[in-house]
Amino acid sequence: MTKSFITFEGPEGSGKTSVIKEVEAVLKAQNIDVIVTREPGGVALSERIRSLLLDFVDEKMDARTEAMLFAASRRQHVVEVIRPALEAGKVVLCDRYIDSSLAYQGVARDLGIEEVYALNLFAIEDLIPDLTVFIDVKPEVGLSRVRSNQRNMDRLDLETLEFHQKVYEGYLQLAELEPDRIKVINGEQAIEDVSKDALKEIMK
Ligand code: TMP
């Protein structure tokens, strides 16, 4: 398998989706066979798990239940979409993956990075991304973007600022642990510049 599994991570409102679209367009213009997908979701079963995870704002969900549902959704996505695409020689651009679970459930929900990593290894086996682009946006900035976009707030968007600060610190911790895989780019500049920086990392 070539090195072509690229994931994008960041706090709420980091602009990941726009950056991924731009990267996809540039790669396609170079005749690179690329697919874009997202987590939680990407296939029918995983999209149904996404709605269990994000839509029910009034129901309490246990942190371990949450971590297992994210991992279950990831498993189906790996089996149905990511692995087949990589085996067919495609470049996969994935909006969130294992590092989201490590930052949100491992750090912000206090389940522990190692515990959540072990749970996820059961789901993904050896499918670790070749490159992860972390779009660095402080939680206050990201959340105010989400609020001003007026997109529907999901269950996790509605968590406290303290929770989102822990997510952010979790990401920085992961980037420090794996500097070769996780590249940090400044997400507080103009979106075109964020995309340029992401492309620079990918082209390397
Ligand atoms: P999105 O808003 O980027 O589509 O992501 C959905 C939400 O799910 C976001 O708040 C991050 C959260 N999430 C986790 O908590 N753990 C995970 O493993 C994944 C993939 C997402």
Side-chain angles (χ1 to χ4, degrees):
M1 237 184 257
T2 54
K3 290 197 165 239
S4 47
F5 182 25
I6 303 166
T7 61
F8 294 78
E9 296 283 353
E12 318 298 327
S14 59
K16 280 181 287 96
T17 314
S18 316
V19 171
I20 293 172
K21 271 196 196 137
E22 182 58 28
V23 170
E24 179 191 22
V26 171
L27 297 184
K28 280 194 169 155
Q30 298 179 15
N31 286 325
I32 294 172
D33 199 356
V34 52
I35 68 153
V36 172
T37 188
R38 71 160 181 184
E39 292 208 344
V43 285
L45 179 56
S46 306
E47 290 288 340
R48 288 170 73 179
I49 300 175
R50 178 186 178 94
S51 104
L52 284 177
L53 279 161
L54 300 179
D55 292 352
F56 298 99
V57 289
D58 296 331
E59 273 176 72
K60 270 213 168 299
M61 187 180 294
D62 171 76
R64 289 181 184 222
T65 305
E66 182 181 280
M68 288 190 284
L69 285 174
F70 277 114
S73 140
R74 180 160 301 128
R75 171 69 188 167
Q76 196 67 25
H77 188 214
V78 162
V79 170
E80 277 194 55
V81 175
I82 302 177
R83 205 179 277 283
L86 293 172
E87 281 169 358
K90 296 180 187 178
V91 170
V92 175
L93 305 179
C94 189
D95 188 339
R96 298 194 181 280
Y97 191 64
I98 185 171
D99 300 294
S100 284
S101 285
L102 301 179
Y104 282 78
Q105 284 68 51
V107 178
R109 293 277 192 236
D110 286 323
L111 292 178
I113 290 179
E114 280 177 19
E115 286 77 357
V116 175
Y117 190 76
L119 168 68
N120 274 274
L121 271 193
F122 182 67
I124 67 173
E125 298 171 78
D126 58 348
L127 201 57
I128 299 291
D130 299 305
L131 172 71
T132 297
V133 175
F134 170 60
I135 303 179
D136 185 348
V137 167
K138 280 179 217 67
E140 317 78 91
V141 176
L143 285 174
S144 77
R145 284 183 187 167
V146 171
R147 286 183 189 127
S148 64
N149 283 348
Q150 300 196 322
R151 78 152 155 89
N152 282 343
M153 303 283 278
D154 65 39
R155 193 174 58 85
L156 288 163
D157 293 333
L158 293 167
E159 278 290 346
T160 59
L161 181 60
E162 193 196 352
F163 174 86
H164 290 288
Q165 256 147 2
K166 283 172 86 175
V167 169
Y168 179 69
E169 278 150 27
Y171 273 128
L172 295 183
Q173 207 179 321
L174 295 171
E176 238 179 76
L177 286 171
E178 284 196 73
D180 291 340
R181 175 174 68 85
I182 305 180
K183 302 297 174 190
V184 181
I185 62 175
N186 176 6
E188 291 185 16
Q189 50 186 342
I191 200 77
E192 307 79 60
D193 295 325
V194 184
S195 303
K196 267 189 211 148
D197 287 355
L199 275 160
K200 257 189 235 158
E201 290 299 339
I202 291 166
M203 293 313 177
K204 274 185 202 164

